[in-house]
Amino acid sequence: MKLILIGFGVVGQGFAQILRDKAAELLREENFSAQIIGVATASKGALYHAAGLELQSLLEAAQAGSFASYPEQDGLIRGLEVDEMIAAGDADALVEMSPTNLETAQPALDFCRRALDAGLHLVLANKGPVALDYAGLKSKARAKGLQMRYEATVMAGTPTIQLAVDALAGCQILSARGILNGTTNYILTRMEAGLSYDEALSEAQALGYAESDPSGDVEGWDAAGKVLILANALFGRSLALDDLDVSGITEITAADIAEARAAGQRYKLIASARPDGGAVKATRLPLDEPLAGVGGSTNAISLKTDLMGDITLIGAGAGPLETGCAILSDLLAIQRMPSAT
């Protein structure tokens, strides 16, 4: 399978590491072989080689900060635009891993549409296109006989979408609620251990859990984007951010944490999706509720079903190898079911 990658930050590099390290195993056990033939980034440059880029050299160039250090080879093209990579006709799938834009989903959304028009399957770690145009992309993929897969957009490699859509096929999912942002969960966990909000945030930033501008996480918008994806995938609802009730954890104080503890409760930032809408809100949970026991940067989701009752899935919600694993899983699913949509 020949791949074009949009974005090559920590997630793209994690995915490339998996392909490098598991190549023999994947070929032996899954008859799966993948070649990255194109990589386009905003900061490192762009590389294209129809016969495949060398993974170790690609990783070394990325870690050096620029593809300028990628070694010359016959057939290598530097600086090719994404549209030109797609139009070349050599690729089987586009993997979208560029930074998420929840306002317009651009430029990733246009890349996704053009890839489908050109006959490429679509795998996304970028939440924007799935959150803002799920129905349009899904319809276009179906009309073209292609697959659009997006496991990495909700809980990284923890198989949330596969559980809900595939493993629970036959069940009606009544609602979904969970801890879908590891940064806020880490901060609340550390506040319960005695740190102030500012101290916990600084610690999360030092550990790489939070960005220098953490507003997308702590104000609830990252989790809100995942609610939009769940609403589409589980309930066929094309919601917008304005349709959701969204708040974060910035107003939670040490006194609030202590008051909850005294009542046998614990604060969690809970994202919820239902057939009639969704929300993101800091919520006090009883300690015996499964989500209340999920600490640190771990994510979790509880699905309420008609046949199986409540099912709770707990796992990593971020990380280069974890998210790269979701991308690989989606590509393997495409190979196994080439005609499915």
Side-chain angles (χ1 to χ4, degrees), residues 8 26 37 68 79 103 106 112 143 170 175 187-188 193 206 233 257 318 329:
F8 202 69
L26 289 168
I37 65 169
E103 294 181 358
Q106 296 294 6
C112 292
S175 66
I187 290 171
L188 290 173
I257 297 290
S329 176

Side-chain angles (χ1 to χ4, degrees), residues 94-124:
L94 180 78
V95 182
E96 226 307 337
M97 300 177 289
S98 62
T100 292
N101 176 346
L102 287 176
E103 294 181 358
T104 66
Q106 296 294 6
L109 181 55
D110 282 345
F111 295 151
C112 292
R113 290 168 175 163
R114 290 166 190 159
L116 291 172
D117 284 338
L120 277 66
H121 297 290
L122 196 56
V123 173
L124 296 105

Side-chain angles (χ1 to χ4, degrees), residues 146-234:
L146 299 167
Q147 293 194 56
M148 178 185 81
R149 302 189 71 92
Y150 47 95
E151 185 64 70
T153 61
V154 177
M155 279 174 57
T158 303
T160 312
I161 302 300
Q162 289 185 47
L163 172 66
V165 175
D166 298 329
L168 292 177
C171 286
Q172 180 184 2
I173 297 178
L174 306 175
S175 66
R177 63 196 299 263
I179 299 166
L180 301 183
N181 181 270
T183 299
T184 51
N185 202 45
Y186 181 84
I187 290 171
L188 290 173
T189 299
R190 297 298 289 146
M191 288 179 71
E192 194 169 3
L195 275 66
S196 69
Y197 171 81
D198 288 338
E199 290 169 337
L201 172 58
S202 294
E203 188 173 279
Q205 289 171 322
L207 291 169
Y209 296 149
E211 302 288 344
S212 56
D213 176 6
S215 56
D217 292 321
V218 299
E219 294 176 5
W221 298 111
D222 173 74
K226 296 170 184 178
V227 169
L228 297 184
I229 294 168
L230 290 171
N232 273 297
L234 305 185

Side-chain angles (χ1 to χ4, degrees), residues 10 28 60 112 141-142 147 152 157 167 172 186 223 246 248 261 321:
V10 293
R28 181 178 67 252
E60 290 174 359
C112 292
R142 186 176 292 111
Q147 293 194 56
Q172 180 184 2
Y186 181 84
V246 180
R261 183 189 295 114
L321 295 179

Side-chain angles (χ1 to χ4, degrees), residues 250-269:
T250 56
E251 301 301 317
I252 302 296
T253 66
D256 294 325
I257 297 290
E259 182 181 328
R261 183 189 295 114
Q265 298 175 327
R266 176 174 287 144
Y267 270 100
K268 295 294 179 184
L269 185 68

